[in-house]
Amino acid sequence: MGLSSFFKKRKKEDKKKEEVDCHININMDGCDACGKCSIACPNNVLIIPETVVTVRDSQVCRSCRLCMAVCPNNCITIN
Ligand code: SF4
Ligand code: SF4
């Protein structure tokens, strides 16, 4: 495999990863860091490190949508 095709492949893989990463959409402006989504998530996908929720690891999300259901501000969308 040539160097350029190696980087092309890497780029594609990175894009794929981005697409997987963005299946959890969070409206940060509406989040008040109440922590309900983080507590509800059975896979510890969401954490509240500071003042807004953060996706710790989207790869372990099972799209159960519990986080969506408990958010009082409707900040989360799972695609
Ligand atoms: S959809 Fe389910 S597994 Fe994914 S972040 Fe929300 S609660 Fe966690
Ligand atoms: S439940 Fe909603 S408001 Fe609360 S931390 Fe999660 S995203 Fe933010």
Side-chain angles (χ1 to χ4, degrees):
M1 184 194 300
L3 205 58
S4 85
S5 55
F6 170 76
F7 281 114
K8 259 188 204 160
K9 191 167 179 262
R10 278 292 294 274
K11 234 181 176 178
K12 245 189 184 173
E13 280 168 3
D14 285 350
K15 185 143 182 18
K16 257 191 211 159
K17 190 173 179 300
E18 269 169 34
E19 281 164 10
V20 170
D21 283 349
C22 72
H23 81 285
I24 304 169
N25 290 311
I26 299 170
N27 171 12
M28 299 293 182
D29 292 337
C31 176
D32 58 11
C34 71
K36 287 183 178 165
C37 57
S38 174
I39 292 164
C41 178
N43 298 316
N44 295 320
V45 175
L46 305 166
I47 53 169
I48 322 280
E50 285 175 24
T51 53
V52 287
V53 68
T54 300
V55 178
R56 180 186 65 84
D57 184 359
S58 65
Q59 306 278 337
V60 295
C61 172
R62 294 294 169 259
S63 300
C64 67
R65 293 180 167 79
L66 272 174
C67 54
M68 268 179 76
V70 298
C71 178
N73 302 331
N74 296 319
C75 297
I76 306 175
T77 312
I78 307 289
N79 294 316

Coordinates of all heavy atoms in Angstrom, one line a residue:
M1 N 0.9 -1.2 0.0 CA 0.0 0.0 0.0 C 0.9 1.2 0.0 O 1.8 1.4 0.8 CB -0.9 0.0 1.3 CG -1.9 1.2 1.3 SD -2.6 1.4 2.9 CE -3.4 -0.2 3.2
G2 N 0.6 2.2 -0.9 CA 1.4 3.4 -1.0 C 1.0 4.3 0.1 O 0.0 4.1 0.8
L3 N 1.9 5.3 0.3 CA 1.7 6.3 1.4 C 0.4 7.0 1.3 O -0.4 7.2 2.2 CB 2.9 7.2 1.5 CG 3.2 7.8 2.9 CD1 3.4 6.7 3.9 CD2 4.4 8.7 2.8
S4 N 0.1 7.5 0.0 CA -1.1 8.3 -0.2 C -2.4 7.5 0.1 O -3.3 8.0 0.6 CB -1.1 9.0 -1.5 OG -1.6 8.1 -2.5
S5 N -2.4 6.2 -0.4 CA -3.6 5.4 -0.2 C -3.7 5.1 1.3 O -4.8 4.9 1.8 CB -3.6 4.2 -1.0 OG -2.4 3.4 -0.8
F6 N -2.6 5.0 2.0 CA -2.6 4.7 3.4 C -3.3 5.9 4.1 O -4.2 5.7 5.0 CB -1.2 4.6 4.0 CG -1.2 4.5 5.5 CD1 -1.5 3.4 6.2 CD2 -0.7 5.7 6.2 CE1 -1.5 3.4 7.6 CE2 -0.7 5.6 7.6 CZ -1.1 4.5 8.3
F7 N -2.9 7.1 3.7 CA -3.5 8.3 4.4 C -5.0 8.5 4.0 O -5.8 8.9 4.8 CB -2.7 9.6 4.1 CG -1.5 9.7 5.0 CD1 -0.2 9.6 4.4 CD2 -1.6 9.8 6.3 CE1 0.9 9.6 5.2 CE2 -0.5 9.9 7.2 CZ 0.8 9.8 6.6
K8 N -5.3 8.1 2.7 CA -6.7 8.2 2.3 C -7.6 7.3 3.1 O -8.7 7.6 3.5 CB -6.8 7.8 0.8 CG -6.9 9.0 -0.1 CD -7.2 8.5 -1.5 CE -6.8 9.6 -2.5 NZ -6.6 9.0 -3.9
K9 N -7.0 6.0 3.3 CA -7.8 5.0 4.1 C -8.0 5.6 5.6 O -9.0 5.5 6.1 CB -7.0 3.7 4.1 CG -7.7 2.6 4.7 CD -7.0 1.2 4.4 CE -7.8 0.1 5.0 NZ -7.3 -0.3 6.3
R10 N -6.9 6.2 6.1 CA -7.0 6.7 7.5 C -8.0 7.8 7.6 O -8.8 7.9 8.5 CB -5.6 7.3 7.9 CG -4.6 6.3 8.4 CD -5.1 5.7 9.7 NE -5.0 6.7 10.8 CZ -4.0 7.0 11.5 NH1 -2.8 6.4 11.3 NH2 -4.0 7.9 12.4
K11 N -8.1 8.7 6.5 CA -9.0 9.8 6.5 C -10.5 9.2 6.5 O -11.3 9.7 7.2 CB -8.8 10.6 5.2 CG -8.6 12.1 5.5 CD -8.4 12.8 4.3 CE -8.3 14.3 4.6 NZ -8.1 15.1 3.4
K12 N -10.7 8.2 5.7 CA -12.0 7.5 5.6 C -12.4 7.0 7.0 O -13.5 7.1 7.4 CB -12.0 6.4 4.6 CG -12.8 6.7 3.4 CD -12.9 5.5 2.5 CE -13.7 5.7 1.3 NZ -13.7 4.6 0.4
E13 N -11.4 6.3 7.6 CA -11.7 5.7 8.9 C -12.0 6.8 9.9 O -12.9 6.6 10.8 CB -10.5 4.9 9.4 CG -10.5 3.5 8.7 CD -9.1 2.8 8.9 OE1 -8.2 3.3 9.6 OE2 -9.0 1.7 8.3
D14 N -11.3 7.9 9.9 CA -11.5 9.0 10.8 C -12.9 9.6 10.6 O -13.6 9.9 11.6 CB -10.5 10.1 10.6 CG -9.1 9.7 11.2 OD1 -9.0 8.7 11.9 OD2 -8.1 10.4 10.9
K15 N -13.3 9.7 9.3 CA -14.6 10.2 9.0 C -15.7 9.3 9.6 O -16.7 9.7 10.2 CB -14.8 10.4 7.5 CG -16.0 11.1 7.1 CD -15.9 12.0 5.9 CE -17.1 12.7 5.5 NZ -18.2 12.8 6.4
K16 N -15.5 8.0 9.4 CA -16.4 7.0 9.9 C -16.6 7.1 11.4 O -17.7 7.1 11.9 CB -16.0 5.6 9.5 CG -16.7 5.0 8.4 CD -16.4 3.5 8.2 CE -16.4 3.1 6.8 NZ -15.6 1.8 6.6
K17 N -15.4 7.3 12.0 CA -15.4 7.4 13.5 C -16.2 8.7 13.9 O -17.0 8.6 14.8 CB -14.0 7.5 14.0 CG -13.9 7.4 15.5 CD -12.5 7.3 15.9 CE -12.4 7.2 17.5 NZ -12.9 8.3 18.2
E18 N -16.0 9.8 13.2 CA -16.7 11.0 13.5 C -18.2 10.8 13.3 O -19.0 11.2 14.2 CB -16.4 12.1 12.5 CG -15.2 13.0 12.9 CD -14.7 13.8 11.8 OE1 -15.6 14.3 11.0 OE2 -13.5 14.1 11.7
E19 N -18.6 10.0 12.3 CA -20.1 9.8 12.1 C -20.6 9.0 13.2 O -21.7 9.2 13.7 CB -20.3 9.0 10.8 CG -20.2 10.0 9.6 CD -20.0 9.3 8.3 OE1 -20.1 8.0 8.2 OE2 -19.7 10.0 7.3
V20 N -19.9 8.0 13.7 CA -20.3 7.2 14.9 C -20.4 8.1 16.1 O -21.4 8.1 16.8 CB -19.4 6.0 15.1 CG1 -19.7 5.3 16.5 CG2 -19.4 5.0 14.0
D21 N -19.4 9.0 16.3 CA -19.3 9.8 17.4 C -20.5 10.8 17.5 O -20.9 11.1 18.6 CB -18.0 10.7 17.4 CG -16.8 9.8 17.8 OD1 -17.1 8.7 18.3 OD2 -15.7 10.3 17.7
C22 N -21.0 11.2 16.3 CA -22.0 12.3 16.4 C -23.4 11.7 16.4 O -24.4 12.4 16.2 CB -21.8 13.3 15.3 SG -22.2 12.6 13.7
H23 N -23.6 10.4 16.7 CA -25.0 9.9 16.8 C -25.7 10.4 18.1 O -26.9 10.4 18.2 CB -25.1 8.4 16.6 CG -24.8 7.6 17.9 ND1 -23.5 7.4 18.3 CD2 -25.6 7.0 18.7 CE1 -23.6 6.7 19.4 NE2 -24.8 6.4 19.7
I24 N -24.9 10.9 19.0 CA -25.4 11.5 20.2 C -25.3 13.0 20.1 O -24.1 13.6 20.1 CB -24.6 11.1 21.5 CG1 -24.6 9.6 21.6 CG2 -25.2 11.7 22.7 CD1 -23.7 9.0 22.7
N25 N -26.4 13.7 19.9 CA -26.3 15.2 19.8 C -26.8 15.8 21.1 O -27.9 15.5 21.6 CB -27.2 15.6 18.6 CG -26.6 15.2 17.3 OD1 -25.4 15.4 17.1 ND2 -27.4 14.5 16.5
I26 N -26.0 16.7 21.6 CA -26.4 17.4 22.8 C -26.4 18.9 22.6 O -25.4 19.5 22.1 CB -25.4 17.1 23.9 CG1 -25.4 15.5 24.2 CG2 -25.8 17.8 25.2 CD1 -24.3 15.1 25.1
N27 N -27.5 19.5 23.0 CA -27.6 20.9 22.9 C -27.0 21.5 24.2 O -27.6 21.6 25.2 CB -29.1 21.4 22.8 CG -29.3 22.8 22.9 OD1 -28.3 23.6 22.9 ND2 -30.5 23.3 23.1
M28 N -25.7 21.9 24.0 CA -25.0 22.3 25.2 C -25.6 23.6 25.8 O -25.4 23.8 27.0 CB -23.5 22.6 24.8 CG -22.8 21.4 24.3 SD -22.5 20.2 25.5 CE -21.6 19.0 24.6
D29 N -26.2 24.4 25.0 CA -26.7 25.7 25.5 C -27.9 25.4 26.5 O -28.1 26.2 27.5 CB -27.3 26.5 24.4 CG -26.2 27.0 23.5 OD1 -25.0 27.1 23.9 OD2 -26.4 27.4 22.3
G30 N -28.6 24.3 26.3 CA -29.7 24.0 27.2 C -29.3 23.2 28.4 O -30.1 23.1 29.4
C31 N -28.1 22.6 28.4 CA -27.7 21.8 29.5 C -27.3 22.5 30.8 O -26.5 23.5 30.7 CB -26.5 20.9 29.1 SG -25.9 19.8 30.4
D32 N -27.9 22.2 31.9 CA -27.6 22.8 33.1 C -26.8 21.9 34.1 O -26.8 22.1 35.3 CB -28.8 23.4 33.8 CG -29.9 22.4 34.1 OD1 -29.6 21.2 34.0 OD2 -31.0 22.7 34.5
A33 N -26.3 20.8 33.5 CA -25.4 19.9 34.2 C -26.1 19.2 35.4 O -25.5 19.0 36.5 CB -24.1 20.6 34.7
C34 N -27.4 18.9 35.3 CA -28.2 18.3 36.4 C -27.7 16.9 36.7 O -27.9 16.4 37.7 CB -29.7 18.4 36.1 SG -30.2 17.2 34.8
G35 N -27.1 16.3 35.6 CA -26.6 14.9 35.8 C -27.5 13.8 35.7 O -27.2 12.6 35.8
K36 N -28.8 14.1 35.4 CA -29.8 13.0 35.3 C -29.5 12.0 34.1 O -29.7 10.8 34.3 CB -31.2 13.6 35.0 CG -31.7 14.3 36.3 CD -33.1 14.8 36.1 CE -33.6 15.4 37.4 NZ -34.7 16.3 37.3
C37 N -29.0 12.5 33.0 CA -28.7 11.6 31.9 C -27.5 10.7 32.3 O -27.5 9.5 31.9 CB -28.4 12.5 30.7 SG -27.0 13.6 30.9
S38 N -26.6 11.3 32.9 CA -25.4 10.5 33.3 C -25.7 9.4 34.3 O -25.3 8.3 34.2 CB -24.4 11.5 34.0 OG -23.3 10.8 34.5
I39 N -26.7 9.7 35.2 CA -27.1 8.7 36.2 C -27.9 7.6 35.5 O -27.8 6.4 35.8 CB -27.9 9.3 37.3 CG1 -27.0 10.2 38.2 CG2 -28.6 8.3 38.2 CD1 -27.7 11.2 39.1
A40 N -28.8 8.0 34.5 CA -29.7 7.1 33.9 C -28.9 6.2 32.9 O -29.4 5.0 32.6 CB -30.7 7.9 33.1
C41 N -27.9 6.6 32.3 CA -27.2 5.8 31.3 C -26.6 4.5 31.8 O -25.7 4.5 32.7 CB -26.1 6.6 30.6 SG -25.2 5.7 29.3
P42 N -27.0 3.4 31.3 CA -26.5 2.1 31.8 C -25.1 1.8 31.4 O -24.5 0.9 32.0 CB -27.5 1.1 31.2 CG -28.2 1.7 30.1 CD -28.1 3.2 30.3
N43 N -24.6 2.5 30.4 CA -23.3 2.2 29.9 C -22.2 3.3 30.2 O -21.2 3.3 29.6 CB -23.3 2.0 28.4 CG -24.2 0.8 28.1 OD1 -24.1 -0.2 28.7 ND2 -25.1 1.0 27.1
N44 N -22.6 4.2 31.1 CA -21.7 5.3 31.5 C -21.1 6.0 30.3 O -19.9 6.3 30.2 CB -20.5 4.8 32.3 CG -21.0 4.2 33.7 OD1 -21.9 4.8 34.3 ND2 -20.4 3.1 34.1
V45 N -22.0 6.3 29.3 CA -21.5 7.0 28.1 C -21.4 8.5 28.4 O -20.5 9.2 27.9 CB -22.6 6.9 27.0 CG1 -22.2 7.7 25.8 CG2 -22.7 5.4 26.7
L46 N -22.2 9.0 29.3 CA -22.2 10.5 29.6 C -21.7 10.8 30.9 O -22.0 10.2 31.9 CB -23.7 11.0 29.5 CG -24.4 10.6 28.2 CD1 -25.9 10.9 28.3 CD2 -23.8 11.4 27.0
I47 N -20.8 11.9 30.9 CA -20.3 12.3 32.2 C -20.5 13.8 32.3 O -20.7 14.5 31.3 CB -18.8 11.9 32.4 CG1 -18.0 12.4 31.1 CG2 -18.6 10.4 32.6 CD1 -16.5 12.3 31.3
I48 N -20.4 14.3 33.5 CA -20.5 15.8 33.8 C -19.2 16.2 34.4 O -19.1 16.3 35.6 CB -21.7 16.1 34.7 CG1 -22.9 15.2 34.4 CG2 -22.0 17.6 34.6 CD1 -23.8 15.6 33.3
P49 N -18.2 16.5 33.6 CA -16.9 16.8 34.2 C -16.9 18.2 34.8 O -16.2 18.5 35.8 CB -15.9 16.7 33.1 CG -16.7 16.8 31.8 CD -18.1 16.4 32.2
E50 N -17.6 19.1 34.2 CA -17.6 20.5 34.6 C -19.0 21.1 34.6 O -19.9 20.7 35.4 CB -16.7 21.3 33.8 CG -15.2 21.0 34.2 CD -14.2 21.7 33.3 OE1 -14.5 22.8 32.7 OE2 -13.1 21.2 33.2
T51 N -19.3 22.0 33.7 CA -20.6 22.6 33.7 C -21.6 22.1 32.6 O -22.7 22.6 32.6 CB -20.4 24.2 33.5 OG1 -19.6 24.4 32.3 CG2 -19.7 24.8 34.7
V52 N -21.1 21.3 31.8 CA -22.1 20.7 30.8 C -21.7 19.2 30.7 O -20.6 18.7 31.0 CB -22.0 21.3 29.4 CG1 -22.6 22.7 29.3 CG2 -20.6 21.3 28.8
V53 N -22.7 18.5 30.1 CA -22.5 17.0 29.9 C -21.6 16.8 28.8 O -21.5 17.6 27.8 CB -23.9 16.4 29.7 CG1 -24.5 16.8 28.3 CG2 -23.8 14.9 29.7
T54 N -20.8 15.7 28.9 CA -19.8 15.4 27.9 C -20.0 13.9 27.5 O -20.2 13.1 28.4 CB -18.4 15.6 28.4 OG1 -18.3 17.0 28.8 CG2 -17.3 15.3 27.4
V55 N -19.8 13.6 26.2 CA -19.8 12.2 25.8 C -18.5 11.6 26.1 O -17.4 11.9 25.6 CB -20.1 12.1 24.3 CG1 -20.1 10.6 23.9 CG2 -21.5 12.7 24.0
R56 N -18.5 10.6 27.0 CA -17.2 9.9 27.4 C -16.8 9.0 26.4 O -15.6 8.9 26.0 CB -17.4 9.2 28.8 CG -16.2 8.5 29.3 CD -16.5 7.7 30.5 NE -17.4 6.6 30.3 CZ -17.1 5.4 29.8 NH1 -15.8 5.1 29.6 NH2 -18.0 4.4 29.6
D57 N -17.7 8.1 25.9 CA -17.4 7.1 24.9 C -18.6 6.7 24.1 O -19.4 5.9 24.6 CB -16.7 5.9 25.6 CG -16.3 4.9 24.6 OD1 -16.4 5.1 23.4 OD2 -15.8 3.8 25.0
S58 N -18.8 7.3 22.9 CA -20.0 7.1 22.2 C -20.1 5.6 21.6 O -21.1 5.1 21.3 CB -20.1 8.0 21.0 OG -19.1 7.8 20.1
Q59 N -18.9 5.0 21.6 CA -18.9 3.6 21.0 C -19.6 2.6 21.9 O -20.1 1.6 21.4 CB -17.4 3.1 21.0 CG -16.5 4.0 20.2 CD -16.5 3.9 18.7 OE1 -16.9 2.8 18.2 NE2 -16.2 4.9 17.9
V60 N -19.8 2.9 23.2 CA -20.5 2.0 24.0 C -22.0 2.3 24.2 O -22.7 1.6 24.9 CB -19.8 1.8 25.4 CG1 -18.4 1.2 25.3 CG2 -19.7 3.1 26.2
C61 N -22.4 3.4 23.5 CA -23.8 3.7 23.5 C -24.7 2.7 22.8 O -24.3 2.3 21.7 CB -24.0 5.1 22.9 SG -25.8 5.5 22.7
R62 N -25.8 2.2 23.4 CA -26.6 1.2 22.8 C -27.9 1.8 22.3 O -28.9 1.1 22.1 CB -26.9 0.1 23.9 CG -25.7 -0.7 24.2 CD -25.1 -1.5 23.0 NE -23.8 -2.1 23.3 CZ -22.7 -1.6 22.8 NH1 -22.7 -0.4 22.1 NH2 -21.5 -2.1 23.1
S63 N -28.0 3.1 22.2 CA -29.1 3.9 21.7 C -30.4 3.5 22.4 O -31.5 3.4 21.8 CB -29.3 3.6 20.2 OG -28.1 4.0 19.5
C64 N -30.3 3.3 23.7 CA -31.6 2.9 24.5 C -32.4 4.2 24.7 O -33.6 4.0 25.0 CB -31.2 2.3 25.8 SG -30.4 3.5 26.9
R65 N -31.9 5.4 24.5 CA -32.6 6.6 24.6 C -33.1 7.0 26.1 O -33.9 7.8 26.2 CB -33.7 6.7 23.6 CG -33.2 6.8 22.2 CD -34.3 6.8 21.2 NE -33.8 7.2 19.9 CZ -33.2 6.3 19.0 NH1 -33.0 5.1 19.4 NH2 -32.7 6.7 17.9
L66 N -32.6 6.3 27.1 CA -32.9 6.6 28.4 C -32.5 8.1 28.8 O -33.2 8.8 29.4 CB -32.3 5.7 29.4 CG -33.0 4.4 29.7 CD1 -32.1 3.5 30.6 CD2 -34.3 4.7 30.4
C67 N -31.3 8.4 28.3 CA -30.8 9.8 28.6 C -31.8 10.8 28.0 O -32.0 11.9 28.6 CB -29.4 10.0 28.0 SG -29.3 9.5 26.2
M68 N -32.3 10.6 26.8 CA -33.2 11.5 26.2 C -34.5 11.6 27.0 O -35.0 12.7 27.2 CB -33.7 10.9 24.8 CG -32.9 11.4 23.6 SD -33.5 10.6 22.1 CE -34.9 11.6 21.8
A69 N -34.9 10.5 27.5 CA -36.2 10.5 28.3 C -36.1 11.2 29.6 O -37.1 11.9 30.0 CB -36.6 9.0 28.5
V70 N -34.9 11.2 30.2 CA -34.8 11.8 31.6 C -34.4 13.3 31.5 O -34.5 14.0 32.5 CB -33.9 11.1 32.5 CG1 -34.4 9.6 32.7 CG2 -32.5 11.1 32.0
C71 N -33.9 13.8 30.4 CA -33.4 15.1 30.4 C -34.5 16.1 30.5 O -35.4 16.2 29.6 CB -32.6 15.4 29.1 SG -32.0 17.1 29.0
P72 N -34.5 16.9 31.5 CA -35.7 17.9 31.7 C -35.6 19.0 30.7 O -36.6 19.7 30.5 CB -35.4 18.4 33.1 CG -34.0 18.2 33.4 CD -33.5 17.0 32.6
N73 N -34.5 19.2 30.0 CA -34.4 20.3 29.1 C -34.4 19.9 27.6 O -34.1 20.7 26.8 CB -33.2 21.1 29.4 CG -33.2 21.6 30.8 OD1 -34.2 21.9 31.4 ND2 -32.0 21.8 31.4
N74 N -34.7 18.6 27.4 CA -34.7 18.1 26.0 C -33.4 18.4 25.3 O -33.5 18.9 24.1 CB -35.9 18.6 25.2 CG -37.2 18.1 25.8 OD1 -37.3 17.0 26.3 ND2 -38.2 19.0 25.9
C75 N -32.3 18.2 25.9 CA -31.0 18.6 25.3 C -30.5 17.5 24.4 O -29.6 17.7 23.6 CB -30.0 18.9 26.3 SG -30.4 20.3 27.3
I76 N -30.9 16.2 24.6 CA -30.2 15.1 23.9 C -31.1 14.5 22.8 O -32.3 14.3 23.0 CB -29.9 14.0 25.0 CG1 -29.1 14.6 26.1 CG2 -29.1 12.9 24.3 CD1 -28.8 13.6 27.3
T77 N -30.4 14.3 21.7 CA -31.1 13.5 20.6 C -30.1 12.4 20.2 O -28.9 12.6 20.1 CB -31.2 14.5 19.4 OG1 -31.8 15.7 19.8 CG2 -32.1 13.8 18.3
I78 N -30.7 11.2 20.1 CA -29.9 10.0 19.7 C -30.4 9.7 18.3 O -31.6 9.4 18.1 CB -30.1 8.8 20.6 CG1 -29.9 9.2 22.1 CG2 -29.3 7.6 20.2 CD1 -28.5 9.4 22.4
N79 N -29.5 9.7 17.3 CA -29.9 9.4 15.9 C -29.7 8.0 15.6 O -28.9 7.3 16.2 CB -29.0 10.3 15.0 CG -29.3 11.7 15.1 OD1 -30.5 12.1 15.2 ND2 -28.3 12.6 15.2
Ligands
SF4_1 S1 -28.9 6.2 24.5 FE1 -28.7 4.9 26.3 S2 -26.6 4.0 26.2 FE2 -26.7 5.8 24.8 S3 -26.0 7.6 26.0 FE3 -28.2 7.5 26.2 S4 -28.7 6.3 28.0 FE4 -26.5 5.9 27.4
SF4_2 S1 -30.1 15.5 31.7 FE1 -30.0 17.2 30.2 S2 -29.7 19.0 31.4 FE2 -29.2 17.3 32.7 S3 -27.0 17.0 32.4 FE3 -28.0 15.7 31.0 S4 -28.1 16.9 29.1 FE4 -27.7 18.3 30.7

